[in-house]
Amino acid sequence: MKVYFPPWFLTTVDEPHQQQRDFVHNDMVPERTPLLLSVWMLLTRCLALPITGLSWALHRRMGADPARFPERLGHNGLPDSDSREKIVWFHAASLGEVMQISQLAEHLTRSENVRILVTTTTASGADWVARKMPGAIHRFAPIDTPGAVERFLNGWPVSAAVFLEGDLWPRLLAGLHRRGVPRILLNARDSRTRTRFPAVFAWLLAPFSLVTCRSETVAEGMAALGLSLDRIHVLPDLRVAQPKLSLSQETLAALSHAVGRRPVWLAASTHPADEEAVLAAHEAVLEAFPEALLIMAPRHPNRGVPLQKLAQSRSLTTALRSPGEDITARTQVYIADTLGELGVFFTLCPVTFLGGSIGQEGGHNPYEPICFETALVFGPHVRNFSDAYWSLEQAGAALQVGDSAQLGPTVARLLQGDEAKMLARSGLAVSENIQDCTSKYAELITGVLKLNSSTPQA
């Protein structure tokens, strides 16, 4: 039985009679269209012009190239000379999502001889694709209005549409359905929005050919929405497949010489909510190890000077990396307000506290540090990576502190015994065991592509 969409849902502004392919599953989408979807379709049609104006303002505010704004309206499609190429489209909303796909895209390019199209909504995501995925085509994602969506889909005859984590736009999905393009959702995570509006997501996800989930809990939630179990797969978080952070051996050697045999620990990717807790923790560490050195690498380098002032207000002796200040025997806090050097600091420090976990930021990717055999410590608030942190704890590869007051005693304990080495080795083992997940992801996507290519056109 074909998936049914009401006629108004499929209304288009361009080429209303183009061919459609019959690539659908035998699942019945809920008969009644959720009210929120009906309202969304009506508003995006009636308010297309104001939405376009708002999109222009946001495009300029994020510092994106003004000349590329037409991409958000669906312009700049595939050149005619490339029209016979098989294209796999990855949509990744922002930098955090797009960083997950580089190895997977490279794998598919080699094994399936496909071109990769990547869309993002943010300028930072666009910049990353340009630097890290030179073989891919990048466009800004179209806004979810009738004209923009139709121009985009008419300009890009994609063989499969792959969405990272979420960012599912109703009108865009409707256009893909009408064209018979298989849809794939990768690395699905817990979502409060999906929980609050189950009818909407049941409707949107019903025709998806494949959904991969970070955990059994997420998979159970997808099944509860009505997706058939043969399309749901539980795989390691796709972020574990990111390339290991690079490091300069020359920089590592220089910093190792400067640190010498002093006890040293790292607070990485910190936010303002972490900073007070980390500095207080270091004061506790100094009581146990008067020669101890704390390296702080704030998430945003422009926090360097304010962080230095904060440390100095606590009578801690500091050095700031960006202006070239050296680590001396008197330095108690070394502030690494630079980019691209975390690999060096993870390697240098036997203990790492990963920031974003004291305040409400939701935590950062724990797989980045464990590749470098450092003992990982994190705070109580890691909702963005809850499954990953739970798995690492179960494997004896990470340690959570219940509140900021526990951080100092915990770090001091790790600096004086074998516990840190055990945590670090377990973390490295976990990292090595799951590095082959890229091939599994690629295998599943390839299966969808092959099924689609064998389906006759209507």
Side-chain angles (χ1 to χ4, degrees):
M1 183 178 297
K2 293 183 180 180
V3 178
Y4 174 74
F5 283 80
W8 63 263
F9 191 75
L10 301 178
T11 301
T12 64
V13 296
D14 297 320
E15 302 186 31
H17 303 296
Q18 62 185 298
Q19 270 192 326
Q20 301 174 26
R21 282 178 291 177
D22 193 24
F23 186 81
V24 292
H25 288 279
N26 294 327
D27 300 87
M28 174 66 78
V29 171
E31 294 182 2
R32 173 175 287 182
T33 305
L35 177 61
L36 281 177
L37 283 181
S38 300
V39 171
W40 177 263
M41 290 296 186
L42 180 62
L43 290 178
T44 54
R45 180 175 294 279
C46 295
L47 301 177
L49 189 58
I51 292 171
T52 299
L54 177 61
S55 178
W56 165 249
L58 293 174
H59 184 86
R60 292 294 300 271
R61 181 178 297 178
M62 69 176 61
D65 182 358
R68 295 190 62 184
F69 178 72
E71 295 174 17
R72 298 190 189 271
L73 304 183
H75 296 289
N76 299 338
L78 182 70
D80 291 338
S81 60
D82 298 330
S83 59
R84 294 186 179 183
E85 291 184 300
K86 182 181 289 187
I87 298 172
V88 176
W89 167 35
F90 286 87
H91 175 62
S94 59
L95 182 60
E97 291 81 17
V98 77
M99 288 175 64
Q100 302 174 32
I101 67 174
S102 59
Q103 288 193 323
L104 178 56
E106 183 180 349
H107 193 294
L108 288 170
T109 300
R110 291 197 311 266
S111 63
E112 299 301 312
N113 193 29
V114 298
R115 288 293 301 275
I116 300 298
L117 167 67
V118 180
T119 59
T120 64
T121 59
T122 65
S124 60
D127 293 341
W128 194 90
V129 173
R131 288 186 290 107
K132 300 294 186 179
M133 300 178 66
I137 306 168
H138 178 270
R139 295 290 186 271
F140 284 110
I143 58 178
D144 208 43
T145 58
V149 166
E150 286 305 306
R151 281 188 290 269
F152 175 80
L153 293 179
N154 290 340
W156 294 97
V158 297
S159 299
V162 184
F163 296 85
L164 270 295
E165 297 189 4
D167 205 44
L168 307 175
W169 295 94
R171 192 177 292 281
L172 188 58
L173 292 178
L176 290 168
H177 172 78
R178 185 168 57 81
R179 290 163 173 77
V181 177
R183 283 130 287 169
I184 297 168
L185 176 61
L186 296 186
N187 216 26
R189 55 184 172 85
D190 289 318
S191 167
R192 283 180 285 186
T193 305
R194 194 166 60 236
T195 302
R196 290 176 61 191
F197 304 107
V200 169
F201 283 90
W203 183 278
L204 294 176
L205 291 170
F208 270 62
S209 307
L210 169 67
V211 175
T212 72
C213 305
R214 297 182 189 178
S215 69
E216 293 287 352
T217 302
V218 177
E220 290 169 2
M222 291 293 179
L225 294 177
L227 276 73
S228 59
L229 296 179
D230 64 318
R231 286 186 278 145
I232 302 173
H233 299 264
V234 179
L235 292 177
D237 191 333
L238 189 56
R239 286 169 288 194
V240 308
Q242 293 182 36
K244 184 177 179 180
L245 296 177
S246 60
L247 63 89
S248 164
Q249 292 296 332
E250 182 180 355
T251 302
L252 177 62
L255 287 171
S256 296
H257 178 74
V259 172
R261 303 186 61 166
R262 297 173 63 183
V264 58
W265 65 292
L266 170 67
S269 297
T270 58
H271 294 262
D274 304 302
E275 293 167 0
E276 286 280 4
V278 168
L279 293 173
H282 191 52
E283 291 173 340
V285 171
L286 287 170
E287 292 179 5
F289 301 96
E291 295 182 353
L293 173 67
L294 164 65
I295 298 176
M296 293 191 72
R299 183 72 171 180
H300 303 290
N302 60 6
R303 287 291 304 162
V305 172
L307 184 53
Q308 184 178 43
K309 292 179 179 178
L310 182 63
Q312 290 172 344
S313 73
R314 305 179 74 106
S315 300
L316 293 168
T317 305
T318 67
L320 198 63
R321 181 161 179 77
S322 59
E325 297 176 5
D326 294 327
I327 297 174
T328 69
R330 297 181 61 252
T331 305
Q332 296 171 311
V333 180
Y334 185 58
I335 300 170
D337 56 338
T338 54
L339 288 172
E341 295 189 311
L342 271 181
V344 170
F345 300 121
F346 287 143
T347 303
L348 184 66
C349 300
V351 177
T352 294
F353 167 75
L354 197 55
S357 58
I358 295 294
Q360 298 305 313
E361 290 79 18
H364 294 300
N365 185 357
Y367 296 113
E368 285 186 347
I370 65 172
C371 297
F372 293 90
E373 202 169 351
T374 181
L376 180 61
V377 181
F378 61 98
H381 305 300
V382 289
R383 65 181 182 278
N384 295 340
F385 295 85
S386 56
D387 296 325
Y389 280 102
W390 182 84
S391 298
L392 290 173
E393 275 196 293
Q394 294 299 110
L399 192 61
Q400 183 179 40
V401 292
D403 56 49
S404 57
Q406 297 179 21
L407 182 58
T410 300
V411 171
R413 187 182 79 237
L414 292 175
L415 288 174
Q416 64 186 355
D418 292 332
E419 185 180 1
K421 294 180 180 179
M422 295 173 60
L423 285 167
R425 290 168 183 166
S426 297
L428 183 61
V430 169
S431 175
E432 291 173 346
N433 287 337
I434 57 181
Q435 282 304 312
D436 64 347
C437 72
T438 298
S439 59
K440 181 60 177 176
Y441 275 99
E443 178 184 332
L444 290 171
I445 295 174
T446 298
V448 172
L449 287 170
K450 289 180 177 177
L451 178 60
N452 185 44
S453 64
S454 66
T455 305
Q457 296 216 350

